[in-house]
Amino acid sequence: MQDGKNLIIAILLCLVVIVGWSYVSEYMGWVRKPDPAIVAQQQQAQQQAAQQQQAQQTAATAQQAMPVFTPAPGRDLTVNSPLYEAVFHTGGGALRSFKLKQYQTGLAVDSPLVNLVDPKTAAVAPLGLVVNSQPSWSTGQWSVEGNENGLNIGAGQQGVLRFDGEVDNLRVIREMTFSSDTYLIREKVRVVNTTDQARSVRVSYTVAADASNAAGDRYDAMRLAWDNDGSLGEESSPKTLETTGAQVAGKIYWAGTMSTYFLAAVLPGDTSNVTVKGRMQQNVFRAAVEEPEVMLGPGQERELTVSYWVGPKERAKLAAVSDQLAKSIDLGMFHVIAKGLLWLLEFFQKYVNNWGVAIILLTVLIKALFWPLTAKSYASMEKMKKLQPHMVAIREKHKDNKELMNKEVMALYKTYGVNPASGCVPILIQMPVFFGLYQALLTSIELRHAPFITYLPGTDIIWLADLSAKDPFYITPVVMGLTMFIQQKMSPPATDPTQQKIMMFLPLIFTAMFLSFPSGLVVYWLVNNILSIAQQRMMAKKFSTSAAK
C-alpha cells in the first residue's frame, strides 16, 4: 500500500518538474519559441499538399464524369439535307466534300454540282479545329458518338453530329447541329482539362476554298474576307497571301474565304479579341479564326460556341443569320439604292420569270422616273445646238485669244439664257442609280446561270444563257457601242476641239470596257441607250414643231 502511494507521489513530482521546467526555461530564455517564418512555411506546405490532393480528387472526379474515350479509325460520314450533301471525316470532324444541290458548275443539265470542298480543299481539312497549335485532324485521336450511318435531314428538321477526341492531352467534344433550311452549321466545342495540372488553351477554327470556285476574272475572284466591327475587309492578292499572308485582330463578326457568289466563313460566338489569319497555298485559300487564350485548372472545362456558313451568298438566307454576314455581298457606297433596285428586279422576275426581261422592265421604270430630268437636259442640248453657229464664229474670231473667246461665249450663254451645266446635272443625279444597279447586278447570285435569250435567234448556238457571264460573241457590247455613237451624233458637238476628239472616242472606250462585262449589265446599258435615243428624237421633234409655230 505504501509502495503504491510512493509511486503516485513520484509521478506527480515528475509532472511538476517537467511543467515547471518549461515555464522556467521559457522565462529564462533557455527554450526558444518557434520561428514565425518557419511556421508560415510549414503551414503553406500543408495547404499546397491539401490543394494538390483536392486537385487530384477533382481531376479524378471529372475523369469519372466524362464518358470513357475509345479512339476509333477515321471514316467518312455523310450529312444529307435539302440544300447540300456534306461529307465529314470522323478523325477530327473536318470536311471532305460539300456539294450544293441547287447549284451546278455549268449550264448543261448534266453539269456536276458545285462542290465548295473539292479534293484540293479537303487536303487542308476545312472545319478542322486547331487546339494549342495542334491540328485536330492529324495529331488527335477521335471517335464519333452515334450516327454511325450519317444524317438524313428532312424538310423542317435538324440533325446533330458529335465527335469525341483527345488533342494535346485535352478532352475535346464537338457537337455540330445542321438545319434543313439554312447553310449555317452551329457548333458547341467542349474542352476539358482532365489532368492534375493547369493548362493554357487556345482554339482556332478553319475554313478553306480552292480558287477554282471563282471564275477568276476581275468580277469573280476568290479572296480572304472578314467583318471587323461592322467594316468589310478583303485581301485578294495571291502574291500577298502566298508570301506574308494576311492577319487582322479585333471585334470579328465573321471571317473566311469567298468569291462573288459563294462563301465559307467562321462566325465566332465571342466576337471580341479575335484574330484572323489567312494564307494561300497551292491555289487554296485558307483562313483560321483564333479565340483568345484561357487558363483551365485541373478538372475545369470551357464551352465555346461557333457557327460556319458554307454555301451560296443568297441575300435572304444571309440576312436571316445576321446583318453583318449579309454584308459579305458588297453593294458599294450606294447600297441603299442597290437594295431597292434588287427588290424591284425580283418583283418583276416573279411575273415574267426571266431575269433578262426583268432587267429591261427595271430599265424602263428607271428611265420613266428620270424622264423630267432628261427632258430638261435635252432642252438644254437643243438650245446649245441653236447656238453652235455663233459659237463657231466666236471661236474663229478669237482663236488666238482664249480669254476673250471664253468671255464672249459666257456672254452668249447669258444673252440666250443657256446654262451649259444644265445638261450635265441630270446625268450626275442618275449616276448613283447606275452605280447602285451596277453593284446589284454584279453581285446578285440570282443572275448566275440565269438565261435571257438562250440561243441565237434561228440557231441552236448558245448565246445569252448566263447573265452573269460576258456575251460570248460580243454582240450586245458592240450594239451598245453603236447606240452610244448615235447618241453622240444627235448631241451638239463640244466647242473645244480636244473635247470633241475625246467625245468621239468615248463609244470605242465604252465598247472595249463592256466586252468583258457580265451580259446582264450590258443589257441594262444597251436598253438604256435605246430608250435615250428614242426620248431624244421625241424631244427634237417637239422642239422642231414648237419652232415651226
Side-chain angles (χ1 to χ4, degrees):
M1 187 71 176
Q2 185 65 36
D3 293 337
K5 289 180 179 181
N6 293 335
L7 180 61
I8 293 172
I9 293 171
I11 294 172
L12 290 174
L13 288 173
C14 288
L15 289 173
V16 170
V17 171
I18 294 171
V19 174
W21 177 259
S22 64
Y23 278 104
V24 172
S25 60
E26 181 177 344
Y27 177 78
M28 298 296 292
W30 297 341
V31 178
R32 295 183 180 177
K33 288 184 178 180
D35 189 346
I38 296 175
V39 173
Q41 290 177 358
Q42 290 174 346
Q43 291 176 348
Q44 185 177 4
Q46 291 174 355
Q47 290 176 356
Q48 289 177 350
Q51 289 176 353
Q52 186 173 3
Q53 184 178 3
Q54 184 180 3
Q56 291 173 348
Q57 292 174 352
T58 304
T61 303
Q63 184 67 36
Q64 291 172 1
M66 293 289 295
V68 176
F69 173 61
T70 306
R75 57 190 179 85
D76 289 346
L77 280 182
T78 301
V79 177
N80 260 306
S81 91
L83 298 176
Y84 56 82
E85 178 190 273
V87 179
F88 289 85
H89 192 254
T90 61
L95 272 175
R96 302 290 291 271
S97 173
F98 202 96
K99 295 180 180 179
L100 304 179
K101 294 184 176 181
Q102 298 179 2
Y103 294 89
Q104 293 176 281
T105 56
L107 297 173
V109 178
D110 57 350
S111 292
L113 297 175
V114 171
N115 186 3
L116 296 183
V117 181
D118 58 11
K120 285 185 67 175
T121 306
V124 300
L127 266 65
L129 295 182
V130 179
V131 182
N132 291 347
S133 302
Q134 301 295 315
S136 63
W137 57 91
S138 60
T139 60
Q141 300 182 83
W142 291 88
S143 64
V144 64
E145 297 180 16
N147 309 111
E148 295 295 326
N149 299 318
L151 295 174
N152 285 301
I153 305 170
Q157 294 182 344
Q158 290 187 345
V160 177
L161 280 181
R162 291 183 181 87
F163 303 100
D164 191 351
E166 288 184 351
V167 181
D168 193 30
N169 295 319
L170 295 165
R171 191 70 174 274
V172 181
I173 298 174
R174 306 185 66 181
E175 182 179 289
M176 295 184 179
T177 302
F178 308 86
S179 301
S180 63
D181 58 349
T182 181
Y183 295 95
L184 189 73
I185 302 171
R186 290 173 287 123
E187 180 177 11
K188 291 181 181 179
V189 181
R190 185 181 171 198
V191 182
V192 186
N193 179 10
T194 57
T195 70
D196 59 359
Q197 300 293 327
R199 296 289 310 279
S200 62
V201 177
R202 186 187 293 273
V203 178
S204 299
Y205 317 100
T206 66
V207 288
D210 185 1
S212 63
N213 281 320
D217 55 27
R218 58 180 297 189
Y219 306 109
D220 186 17
M222 185 62 68
R223 53 203 181 273
L224 184 74
W226 59 86
D227 186 310
N228 188 356
D229 199 15
S231 177
L232 181 65
E234 295 183 356
E235 179 56 69
S236 58
S237 169
K239 183 178 180 181
T240 299
L241 291 172
E242 280 182 327
T243 54
T244 60
Q247 181 170 330
V248 62
K251 189 175 184 179
I252 305 297
Y253 289 107
W254 61 266
T257 58
M258 74 176 187
S259 62
T260 299
Y261 302 117
F262 301 103
L263 170 68
V266 176
L267 292 78
D270 183 2
T271 60
S272 58
N273 298 322
V274 174
T275 301
V276 178
K277 299 177 182 179
R279 295 192 70 86
M280 189 184 83
Q281 296 172 318
Q282 296 181 348
N283 217 33
V284 176
F285 288 70
R286 305 178 66 187
V289 177
E290 189 175 77
E291 293 264 11
E293 185 180 44
V294 296
M295 292 296 297
L296 292 183
Q300 288 186 338
E301 68 175 68
R302 184 189 185 195
E303 185 174 276
L304 306 169
T305 59
V306 65
S307 299
Y308 308 92
W309 180 276
V310 186
K313 292 163 70 172
E314 297 179 9
R315 289 186 305 278
K317 284 186 169 61
L318 291 169
V321 176
S322 70
D323 292 337
Q324 291 81 16
L325 192 62
K327 290 181 181 178
S328 61
I329 302 176
D330 186 10
L331 295 176
M333 62 184 298
F334 301 109
H335 59 275
V336 175
I337 296 174
K339 288 180 180 178
L341 295 174
L342 281 172
W343 184 88
L344 288 170
L345 194 64
E346 291 174 348
F347 174 80
F348 288 130
Q349 199 275 338
K350 289 178 182 177
Y351 291 96
V352 298
N353 201 30
N354 184 299
W355 286 100
V357 176
I359 291 172
I360 293 174
L361 293 176
L362 181 61
T363 309
V364 172
L365 176 62
I366 293 173
K367 200 66 180 175
L369 291 174
F370 284 106
W371 183 279
L373 285 173
T374 50
K376 186 176 181 180
S377 175
Y378 291 146
S380 177
M381 289 167 61
E382 286 297 322
K383 290 181 181 180
M384 291 289 291
K385 274 186 179 181
K386 294 178 180 179
L387 295 181
Q388 283 303 306
H390 301 285
M391 301 283 289
V392 172
I394 292 173
R395 189 166 58 246
E396 288 295 325
K397 182 180 178 182
H398 302 289
K399 59 183 178 180
D400 297 327
N401 192 335
K402 290 290 183 72
E403 184 177 350
L404 185 59
M405 181 181 70
N406 291 333
K407 185 179 292 187
E408 289 206 19
V409 167
M410 297 304 296
L412 183 68
Y413 288 154
K414 187 175 182 179
T415 302
Y416 287 90
V418 175
N419 183 0
S422 61
C424 300
V425 172
I427 297 174
L428 292 176
I429 294 175
Q430 295 179 62
M431 290 308 288
V433 176
F434 167 72
F435 286 120
L437 185 59
Y438 170 84
Q439 283 295 118
L441 295 179
L442 189 64
T443 59
S444 179
I445 195 172
E446 288 82 2
L447 295 185
R448 182 183 180 273
H449 294 177
F452 174 33
I453 304 173
T454 306
Y455 301 100
L456 274 172
T459 72
D460 57 355
I461 301 173
I462 294 178
W463 186 29
L464 299 180
D466 182 358
L467 288 170
S468 71
K470 66 180 182 180
D471 185 335
F473 304 111
Y474 306 110
I475 296 173
T476 49
V478 170
V479 175
M480 186 275 302
L482 290 175
T483 58
M484 285 196 69
F485 180 76
I486 293 172
Q487 281 185 285
Q488 290 284 1
K489 298 299 290 183
M490 294 176 68
S491 303
T495 57
D496 184 66
T498 303
Q499 291 182 3
Q500 288 182 17
K501 293 179 181 178
I502 294 173
M503 297 301 291
M504 182 178 63
F505 279 103
L506 269 182
L508 292 175
I509 295 171
F510 268 72
T511 300
M513 286 172 50
F514 275 64
L515 288 176
S516 59
F517 267 31
S519 55
L521 284 169
V522 181
V523 168
Y524 161 74
W525 197 262
L526 171 59
V527 174
N528 183 72
N529 284 357
I530 293 173
L531 293 175
S532 297
I533 291 171
Q535 186 179 13
Q536 201 164 343
R537 289 181 65 88
M538 289 174 61
M539 295 297 297
K541 186 176 181 181
K542 177 182 177 181
F543 279 108
S544 62
T545 303
S546 300
K549 292 179 180 180

